[in-house]
Amino acid sequence: ASYEVLLALIEAAESLNITYHVGVTATTDSFYLGQGRKGFRGYSWSRSENLLEDLRRMNVLNFDMETSTIYTIASIYGLRAGSVCAVFANRVRDEFGIAGEKDAARVAVEAIKILQEWDELKARRGKPFFYHSLLKGSNPKI
């Protein structure tokens, strides 16, 4: 993830008082086997048996199916990218529920506003990157 996008997402979640976690996402191309679930007709492969525990030991926080592709494309084209996810399942406890979509969207929109403010500040100061002390002496809305 772009560090500026990550910082903006954190700033957005904090300013909106929305619970968040920062960490590693495991991106897989499969909703089933790639995430340790059984596939068609109950098929599974040997790595599925230990996948969740292996990823937990590596401090991976969640699965998704898009983030790595978004980061790769952004990198190729010199763009910034980040990821904000809603949590639908706790795979360890085998619990499922739809929640957090609206909060994730609110955080994303707020982060875009923050990035715009930072971009304007960088341009005024003639700096290519955001860093915290750029805020000194400015009057940001954040």
Side-chain angles (χ1 to χ4, degrees):
S2 161
Y3 81 95
E4 289 183 351
V5 175
L6 176 59
L7 288 175
L9 288 168
I10 292 169
E11 183 73 37
E14 287 285 342
S15 70
L16 296 169
N17 198 30
I18 293 174
T19 301
Y20 65 94
H21 303 278
V22 175
V24 177
T25 293
T27 301
T28 178
D29 63 347
S30 166
F31 185 77
Y32 293 98
L33 296 175
Q35 296 186 32
R37 294 181 175 102
K38 292 185 186 278
F40 182 66
R41 294 186 179 163
Y43 175 80
S44 68
W45 47 24
S46 59
R47 83 175 193 141
S48 295
E49 294 175 22
N50 298 316
L51 182 62
L52 289 178
E53 186 54 35
D54 288 347
L55 292 172
R56 285 182 72 199
R57 285 197 309 264
M58 291 185 275
N59 297 314
V60 172
L61 295 182
N62 69 303
F63 280 114
D64 81 355
M65 296 175 66
E66 301 84 17
T67 297
S68 69
T69 301
I70 291 168
Y71 289 174
T72 299
I73 291 169
S75 179
I76 288 169
Y77 290 104
L79 303 171
R80 298 178 294 193
S83 177
V84 57
C85 301
V87 177
F88 290 154
N90 182 320
R91 297 293 309 288
V92 174
R93 293 192 299 245
D94 199 27
E95 297 171 353
F96 183 84
I98 296 177
E101 287 178 324
K102 289 181 182 179
D103 284 344
R106 288 177 56 217
V107 168
V109 169
E110 185 64 21
I112 291 168
K113 293 176 187 176
I114 291 167
L115 284 167
Q116 178 63 35
E117 292 173 8
W118 290 350
D119 287 348
E120 291 169 3
L121 179 60
K122 290 186 306 187
R124 283 195 307 271
R125 303 277 177 92
K127 300 294 182 181
F129 302 105
F130 175 81
Y131 51 94
H132 181 74
S133 61
L134 277 180
L135 295 174
K136 292 180 182 176
S138 68
N139 189 11
K141 295 181 220 172
I142 55 173

